[in-house]
Amino acid sequence: MSRNGTRTTARPGRTSADAPTGAPVAPGRVPLAGHAPRLHRDALRFVREQRHHGPVTKIYIGPRPVHVVNSGELVRDLLTAQARAFDKGAMFDALRVPLGDGLITAAGDRHLRHRRTMQPAFHHDRIARYARVMSERSLACAAAWEPGTPRDLVPEIHRLTLDILLRTLFADPQDPELRTAVKGWLGVKYRSMRLALSPLHAWAERLPLLPGWRPPDAGPLRRLVAVQHRIIGAYRADGRDRGDLLSMLLLAGGPENALTDTEVTDELITLFLAGTGTVSASLAWALYEISRRPGVQRLLHDELDTVLAGRPPAFEDVPALVRTRQVLTETLRLHPPSWLLMRRAVRPVTLGGVRLAPGAEVFFSPYALHHDPQLYEDPEHFAPDRWPLHAATKPPRHTYLPFGAGSRLCIGEDFAWTELILAVAAFTARRRLEPVASTPVRTLVGTVLRPDRLPLTAHARPS
Ligand code: HEM
């Protein structure tokens, strides 16, 4: 156990003397649906319980077998040492309908080339530019919240994070066609992502005429792509760097490795997907936890009063807002938005003594690891103090995985930290947040973990 309450002992995987075997099938499988009813009834409990059945277990989503990796050591193996033996898997194949083939779904050399080309768009000096938008928009959203008036912050936060992303991607985000096309596409995206995880999808692959099965509508994606092509055309025509992410995507790679228009649209759409739901869920959970803990909120206020001294939060303040980061680190442990991640073996590979054939699907759950009592003392308890205040040492990558790890580590991690720190500062510096006691908050388990609502009252603080 480390001083700050994160445990350091690893659960054993396979010893070298063991011969590779099959994984045990998890209890609770039923005909046709497999483990899907359990997963749908209480997915978080289901993934947490897997560790009791072995470091690698096997479950069935309808007819599709999936291996579940339950030990931090083996997840590290999967994401780093053995990473080249895996691509993203069947669920991500299904996501190509609403997403195209951007960084999240791309495999092999395409992924490597796009990742290298896109990296500069997420460099420190670019994030400093985006930070102005993050701070301004968060302050405007917080200022519109009348003190003393209870409000459900979930829709506000959702609009805020989409607005921030649009304004960082496009210097002119007010294009009305763009906003309408994004809205239409978001609706289909959510439906397709739910379908990708459903047993219906697994059966539909085998029985294409399955009654009740309707593939996601590709129309909204086509419309969004058309609008983006028009905008890209205008950017290419003058070749200017407008300081936004789109300029970076177009300029990156130089003449030899530049992305084509179609590749750029795929990446823009991927960023809409990856950079909105995750950030809004994290911000909502952070404000939820802060509002329920007067002691934590007092420490945040002390920090914000000292560091900001009444100024709006800016990029330069981010390193000094150590308590804010600590609270967010714990929020992302307790409520990791990406609670379930997936891979698929592309060649024969052995993981924790279990032999996986090419095509074998693999799940692992950052949520299950973050709630494992062998890794975290009292894991259900929100305790920012378990993390060092001055984080020269980062949380261990194999047991703390809100942003994944290895070559598929979230490219937007620094973007997200900056946005979250500035937004929490904007919402709390001048306000004291209080939950509306009569309204319980439930966790919605979809492609991200998010609160179903966040009814809070803000009280003005003396300046
Ligand atoms: C709190 C916020 C966020 C969380 C929790 C989060 C989480 C993750 C995770 C877990 C992965 C890895 C998925 C895997 O291994 O299968 C990932 C990948 C990715 N994220 Fe994020 N993300 C966040 C914010 C963002 C933002 C703001 C952006 C962009 C603006 C972004 C863009 C991406 C992209 C493009 C990938 C794919 C990277 C690759 O495969 O090379 N994310 N994210």
Side-chain angles (χ1 to χ4, degrees):
M1 172 83 55
S2 72
R3 194 175 43 79
N4 51 29
T6 57
R7 295 186 191 258
T8 48
T9 48
R11 201 176 300 110
R14 169 191 172 232
T15 65
S16 54
D18 300 330
T21 59
V25 176
R29 181 181 177 194
V30 296
L32 297 179
H35 295 86
R38 289 220 167 182
L39 199 54
H40 284 259
R41 203 175 310 131
D42 189 347
L44 298 181
R45 182 168 169 189
F46 182 75
V47 292
R48 263 200 327 251
E49 283 176 355
Q50 289 304 306
R51 69 170 186 270
H52 301 308
H53 311 305
V56 182
T57 50
K58 198 171 181 180
I59 64 168
Y60 285 83
I61 309 290
R64 177 188 293 144
V66 177
H67 288 81
V68 187
V69 179
N70 304 307
S71 106
E73 300 290 303
L74 293 181
V75 168
R76 180 174 54 190
D77 225 23
L78 171 73
L79 296 181
T80 54
Q82 309 253 41
R84 294 169 83 86
F86 295 91
D87 69 7
K88 296 291 286 274
M91 312 297 170
F92 287 86
D93 293 346
L95 283 180
R96 289 206 179 89
V97 176
L99 281 187
D101 197 12
L103 210 54
I104 283 193
T105 47
D109 288 346
R110 180 185 170 94
H111 173 260
L112 212 66
R113 185 169 79 82
H114 280 225
R115 178 96 194 189
R116 275 203 203 113
T117 310
M118 287 173 69
Q119 204 73 54
F122 292 90
H123 275 173
H124 189 79
D125 52 339
R126 287 313 272 206
I127 292 178
R129 295 201 195 192
Y130 314 145
R132 266 197 295 276
V133 172
M134 295 168 181
S135 177
E136 265 170 36
R137 300 319 302 164
S138 304
L139 283 168
C141 184
W145 187 11
E146 196 64 37
T149 316
R151 202 153 180 180
D152 178 4
L153 281 199
V154 162
E156 308 282 335
I157 288 176
H158 194 74
R159 272 194 292 275
L160 170 66
T161 52
L162 183 59
D163 191 34
I164 289 177
L165 199 68
L166 278 170
R167 286 169 191 268
T168 45
L169 287 176
F170 304 99
D172 177 18
Q174 298 308 340
D175 186 319
E177 264 188 9
L178 176 65
R179 293 223 164 214
T180 314
V182 169
K183 261 199 187 146
W185 170 80
L186 280 173
V188 177
K189 176 203 86 167
Y190 290 129
R191 180 169 175 273
S192 334
M193 290 177 79
R194 270 199 309 278
L195 277 179
L197 272 171
S198 114
L200 208 61
H201 180 260
W203 277 111
E205 280 181 343
R206 295 180 184 202
L207 309 164
L209 298 177
L210 189 76
W213 167 254
R214 190 164 51 86
D217 177 8
L221 174 65
R222 265 200 311 276
R223 283 189 284 281
L224 180 55
V225 165
V227 174
Q228 290 185 348
H229 274 288
R230 172 176 59 71
I231 297 175
I232 290 170
Y235 273 57
R236 292 230 194 259
D238 67 17
R240 256 187 321 123
D241 178 356
R242 292 164 162 84
D244 54 6
L245 239 153
L246 175 56
S247 299
M248 276 311 279
L249 294 184
L250 294 173
L251 295 169
E256 308 215 322
N257 283 316
L259 300 176
T260 65
D261 286 7
T262 301
E263 288 172 332
V264 172
T265 53
D266 283 358
E267 294 305 349
L268 288 173
I269 288 165
T270 293
L271 295 176
F272 282 134
L273 168 85
T276 49
T278 48
V279 181
S280 58
S282 313
L283 178 56
W285 283 124
L287 299 181
Y288 166 86
E289 295 293 352
I290 292 166
S291 68
R292 272 155 184 78
R293 292 180 168 72
V296 168
Q297 195 163 176
R298 250 192 316 278
L299 289 173
L300 276 186
H301 284 149
D302 289 349
E303 171 168 282
L304 293 165
D305 291 349
T306 311
V307 174
L308 304 180
R311 281 184 296 107
F315 185 68
E316 297 67 37
D317 299 313
V318 169
L321 295 175
V322 288
R323 269 215 196 273
T324 314
R325 182 180 285 268
Q326 195 187 38
V327 166
L328 282 161
T329 305
E330 180 65 349
T331 301
L332 289 168
R333 181 194 67 79
L334 201 59
H335 311 281
S338 304
W339 63 283
L340 188 66
L341 300 174
M342 295 131 205
R343 295 292 186 268
R344 172 175 52 201
V346 291
R347 57 175 191 242
V349 56
T350 301
L351 204 64
V354 171
R355 197 195 304 279
L356 301 177
E361 299 282 339
V362 176
F363 280 3
F364 58 100
S365 168
Y367 179 91
L369 291 175
H370 293 184
H371 287 252
D372 183 343
Q374 289 197 37
L375 302 175
Y376 292 96
E377 189 181 2
D378 199 1
E380 302 311 315
H381 180 55
F382 182 81
D385 282 346
R386 73 174 83 234
W387 304 106
L389 200 50
H390 296 280
T393 46
K394 293 212 166 179
R397 279 281 185 208
H398 62 297
T399 54
Y400 184 77
L401 283 169
F403 294 98
S407 60
R408 311 299 300 233
L409 175 73
C410 175
I411 199 171
E413 180 174 356
D414 290 343
F415 183 114
W417 278 113
T418 306
E419 183 174 355
L420 288 170
I421 289 173
L422 292 174
V424 167
F427 273 94
T428 55
R430 305 260 48 87
R431 310 274 161 116
R432 182 173 57 77
L433 309 182
E434 195 179 64
V436 176
S438 56
T439 328
V441 169
R442 284 188 314 122
T443 302
L444 290 183
V445 184
T447 45
V448 297
L449 279 191
R450 61 196 170 91
D452 65 337
R453 66 188 80 190
L454 184 57
L456 297 182
T457 308
H459 300 281
R461 293 183 62 227
S463 26

